[in-house]
Amino acid sequence: DDWDPFADPADGSAEGLDPEAKRTSAVEVKPQLSWAPPPAAVGPIRVACLHGTCSNGNILKVQLQRAAKLCGDKVEFIYLDGRMKSTKDNPVWEEMSRTFKGQEFYEWAEISAASSIAERQYCDLETSLDFIQDLLRQHEPLDGIFGFSQGANMASLLAAQAVAGEGVNFGFVIQSCAAGPGWVEQRPDLFMQKLPMRSLHISGKLDTNPPVPLVELYQEPFSLLHDDGHKVIPSSGGREEADFVAKTIADFVLSAAQ
């Protein structure tokens, strides 16, 4: 769940992108779930945004700003803060404190020490899900969820809860730089079938997290890989690549109104 806070743009090439949908057969396909997205937004599209580990909503706002600017006033991005304060033993706490002086940093859940980045699990998963669902209810109606890093991990669980009728409903999910879904073993009841929700998956080729690890959880996922590491918007591949990734996010969000 660790990530580089330096998220926004640069100058160079846009090679190595793969916007094609990825599909796997790792999850057995069963009869389609009887789920429907909420009606299309009448006003601005509303997207709840979940930050990564040792971060906060203000930092994610900076990281996502390139895509948000392309959406203009057609989209309202709602930046939320995690359930518990980060502590100094977090591997990125010192770097974050130097970069974002005077800010509080948060986590959505406590990582299980026995888990790995390839099979991430959490000690307090149900408490965390209850907390996030309470936050989402405060901001209903919602059209979609954006999650980065640990926020992306939580977003997959929120999508599964929405499809199962166990939480706030929304129509799409965007997951950037997620970890491997060890949490499926913690809540197998939510992942018995591939999720019919629209989903966009983004990873960096240089990220230590596995590439687009959640595509197997969805019926028709869309995915792309950029040439950078653990970042919302790549900065090492140049302006063209940064613009491409930002536009892909913006177009995916704006399509919710169609």
Side-chain angles (χ1 to χ4, degrees):
D1 294 33
D2 300 341
W3 56 279
D4 182 339
F6 302 100
D8 220 23
D11 317 282
S13 76
E15 297 178 358
L17 291 166
D18 177 16
E20 296 300 317
K22 291 197 172 191
R23 298 174 176 83
T24 77
S25 56
V27 177
E28 181 184 357
V29 178
K30 298 182 179 180
Q32 184 168 341
L33 292 159
S34 57
W35 168 82
V42 176
I45 297 167
R46 292 170 55 81
V47 183
C49 301
L50 280 60
H51 59 75
T53 187
C54 198
S55 187
N56 61 47
N58 288 331
I59 293 170
L60 182 56
K61 184 175 182 179
V62 173
Q63 294 174 306
L64 195 54
Q65 64 181 338
R66 199 178 189 90
K69 286 178 181 177
L70 294 176
C71 294
D73 59 6
K74 295 179 180 178
V75 180
E76 180 181 1
F77 291 96
I78 303 161
Y79 299 94
L80 306 176
D81 285 335
R83 180 172 70 86
M84 47 193 192
K85 289 184 179 180
S86 302
T87 57
K88 292 184 179 180
D89 59 356
N90 187 296
V92 298
W93 191 89
E94 287 192 12
E95 181 180 5
M96 294 299 294
S97 296
R98 289 195 302 268
T99 307
F100 301 102
K101 291 181 173 60
Q103 296 197 36
E104 293 283 1
F105 308 118
Y106 299 92
E107 314 287 334
W108 294 107
E110 181 182 353
I111 295 171
S112 169
S115 73
S116 68
I117 200 67
E119 292 290 335
R120 176 63 73 222
Q121 294 189 340
Y122 296 95
C123 300
D124 50 359
L125 186 60
E126 295 308 314
T127 301
S128 296
L129 290 176
D130 288 345
F131 173 85
I132 301 172
Q133 288 291 351
D134 284 343
L135 278 182
L136 298 186
R137 281 190 286 271
Q138 293 173 32
H139 294 284
E140 284 189 285
L142 292 170
D143 299 288
I145 302 286
F146 177 94
F148 173 61
S149 193
Q150 190 180 85
N153 304 345
M154 295 295 113
S156 77
L157 285 150
L158 299 175
Q161 286 185 311
V163 169
E166 294 187 13
V168 171
N169 195 21
F170 51 92
F172 65 86
V173 61
I174 302 174
Q175 292 158 135
S176 175
C177 299
W183 55 86
V184 170
E185 296 179 8
Q186 295 181 270
R187 287 299 307 269
D189 55 307
L190 293 176
F191 297 97
M192 295 177 68
Q193 304 175 45
K194 289 192 174 186
L195 304 177
M197 184 178 290
R198 292 177 62 245
S199 64
L200 173 62
H201 306 259
I202 302 169
S203 287
K205 291 181 179 179
L206 303 182
D207 195 355
T208 55
N209 284 16
V212 290
L214 307 184
V215 291
E216 65 181 28
L217 303 180
Y218 295 84
Q219 288 184 7
E220 296 186 357
F222 294 90
S223 67
L224 70 82
L225 293 173
H226 59 66
D227 288 336
D228 211 328
H230 200 69
K231 298 181 181 180
V232 176
I233 303 294
S235 58
S236 65
R239 183 171 298 278
E240 186 177 354
E241 183 183 45
D243 286 344
F244 179 81
V245 175
K247 187 176 186 302
T248 299
I249 294 171
D251 288 348
F252 188 85
V253 172
L254 291 170
S255 68
Q258 297 174 2

